[in-house]
Amino acid sequence: MSRPEIDRMHVLRDVTADRITVNEAAQLLRLTRRQVFRLLEASRSHGPKALVSTCRGKPSNRCYPAAVRSEALALIKANYADFGPILACEKLAQRHGIRLGVETVRRWMLAEGLWQDRRQRLKPVHQPRARRGCFGELVQSDGSQHWWFEERGPQCTLLVCANSPQTKGRVERANGTLQDRLVKELCLDGISSIEAATAFLSRFMDDYNRRFAKAPFSDKAAYHPCP
């Protein structure tokens, strides 16, 4: 029995022993008098087990069918085994028409050992840098040399330029995100050359910035006109 069920049993025993009234029991259990009488009758007939929820151990009525779970996991293992839950969820919807919640995909991938939760991936905590207030107060660009095409093409460098608050941290985090997400997107589109990747980046950046860009606190620009 769970802790609330044990507490409920003790309250009902107090009612049976005339230590408290039905009204007092209803207030303690946050139930109506009728519900308390039903619980008392069930407890007298079947003992404490009558207070255990009958839904325990049964699948939820809102859960996905087992066939959907099996199909989704098979596709993830075959095509997206190294994807995170968010990206895997997006690709299941875009490429296979299987629309699931991100948390559902995350739980399924955790259960299958395809993903680690936040505690398993926890890194040392660093003091965050305060955001700059205006556009233009801090600008940084960085080059990330990486196997962007995996084994399909040469190693090359991606340039990332940020001009928003917390620029340095955003550039460094963006490189880490892109080395996961962009590499997979290039692979899915069969891109293996710098020219094709540069053309692909124009539409990828629009979607990426729409999802992850952070606006400065102030609309005022910190730039000054050149003399």
Side-chain angles (χ1 to χ4, degrees), residues 15-204:
V15 174
T16 303
D18 293 330
R19 286 190 286 266
I20 61 174
T21 65
V22 172
N23 287 337
E24 290 171 336
Q27 291 178 356
L28 290 171
L29 299 176
R30 297 183 179 179
L31 300 174
T32 64
R33 283 172 50 86
R34 179 177 295 182
Q35 289 173 315
V36 172
F37 280 120
R38 287 177 178 173
L39 289 174
L40 286 169
E41 182 61 30
S43 179
R44 293 189 186 104
S45 302
H46 304 288
K49 66 179 181 180
L51 303 179
V52 178
S53 174
T54 57
C55 296
R56 183 169 301 160
K58 296 181 181 179
S60 170
N61 293 330
R62 300 173 61 185
C63 68
Y64 292 97
V68 174
R69 184 180 189 275
S70 299
E71 182 182 2
L73 285 174
L75 290 169
I76 291 173
K77 290 178 181 178
N79 304 289
Y80 317 117
D82 57 342
F83 283 34
I86 296 177
L87 188 55
C89 186
E90 292 176 9
K91 297 308 170 187
L92 286 174
Q94 293 173 3
R95 293 175 169 260
H96 309 284
I98 301 178
R99 303 189 179 279
L100 303 168
V102 173
E103 289 305 315
T104 297
V105 175
R106 191 189 312 278
R107 288 196 305 270
W108 290 355
M109 293 179 69
L110 283 170
E112 293 293 315
L114 300 172
W115 183 248
Q116 293 181 327
D117 62 21
R118 187 182 297 274
R119 292 182 180 179
Q120 293 172 316
R121 296 179 287 109
L122 192 63
K123 296 180 179 180
V125 177
H126 300 284
Q127 184 67 27
R129 175 182 297 174
R131 286 188 178 183
R132 297 298 182 102
C134 300
F135 176 83
E137 282 192 327
L138 186 64
V139 179
Q140 178 166 329
S141 62
D142 188 23
S144 177
Q145 189 175 22
H146 189 63
W147 291 98
W148 295 102
F149 309 121
E150 299 174 307
E151 73 283 354
R152 305 185 312 280
Q155 187 179 33
C156 54
T157 300
L158 175 71
L159 294 178
V160 180
C161 179
N163 51 18
S164 61
Q166 283 187 310
T167 305
K168 181 174 177 58
R170 292 191 61 77
V171 167
E172 293 172 350
R173 287 193 298 273
N175 285 331
T177 302
L178 292 170
Q179 287 177 6
D180 175 60
R181 179 176 283 260
L182 179 58
V183 168
K184 293 178 173 63
E185 294 282 4
L186 294 172
C187 178
L188 291 175
D189 279 34
I191 295 174
S192 58
S193 68
I194 295 177
E195 293 76 16
T198 302
F200 172 80
L201 280 175
S202 60
R203 65 176 185 272
F204 175 83

